[in-house]
Amino acid sequence: MTSKTDETADSTGATGATDTLGYEQARDELIEVVRRLETGGTTLEESLALWERGEELAKICRRWLDGARARLDAALAGPELGGEDGEHGEGTHADLDS
């Protein structure tokens, strides 16, 4: 006898370790979930489990993308906050011209 969580994991191919998924892994699994939903041929229960898994994977992807955006924003703001030493500020490109 399998539990409901076992059935969900079996029908979606998920291992349950969603917190450790990287962006690419979550994205690839989400693509597969969408493909299976679009193809059809699953029971209502399987479709619901796939949908729920897709929602979970989409949240994981969103967290990764939000984190990447925050890192980019911080990196772009970094040179402006670089201080007066000119190490990251204006004038550094002049050294490249010579």
Side-chain angles (χ1 to χ4, degrees):
M1 183 169 150
T2 60
S3 70
K4 187 168 182 80
T5 55
D6 290 340
E7 290 171 7
T8 301
D10 291 344
S11 68
T12 62
T15 60
T18 57
D19 292 339
T20 60
L21 285 178
Y23 171 76
E24 290 82 6
Q25 292 169 314
R27 181 202 60 212
D28 291 347
E29 189 177 337
L30 179 56
I31 290 168
E32 179 61 20
V33 166
V34 170
R35 185 194 64 74
R36 288 183 64 191
L37 284 169
E38 289 178 341
T39 300
T42 57
T43 66
L44 177 60
E45 190 63 34
E46 290 170 335
S47 294
L48 288 172
L50 284 167
W51 182 272
E52 290 169 349
R53 180 65 179 161
E55 289 288 335
E56 186 177 345
L57 292 164
K59 287 177 187 176
I60 292 168
C61 289
R62 174 55 55 198
R63 281 195 299 265
W64 276 105
L65 291 172
D66 289 346
R69 170 55 64 194
R71 288 177 62 190
L72 284 171
D73 290 346
L76 292 173
E80 295 170 6
L81 302 174
E84 297 178 19
D85 59 5
E87 204 171 305
H88 298 291
E90 293 182 85
T92 58
H93 298 292
D95 296 333
L96 297 174
D97 292 335
S98 49

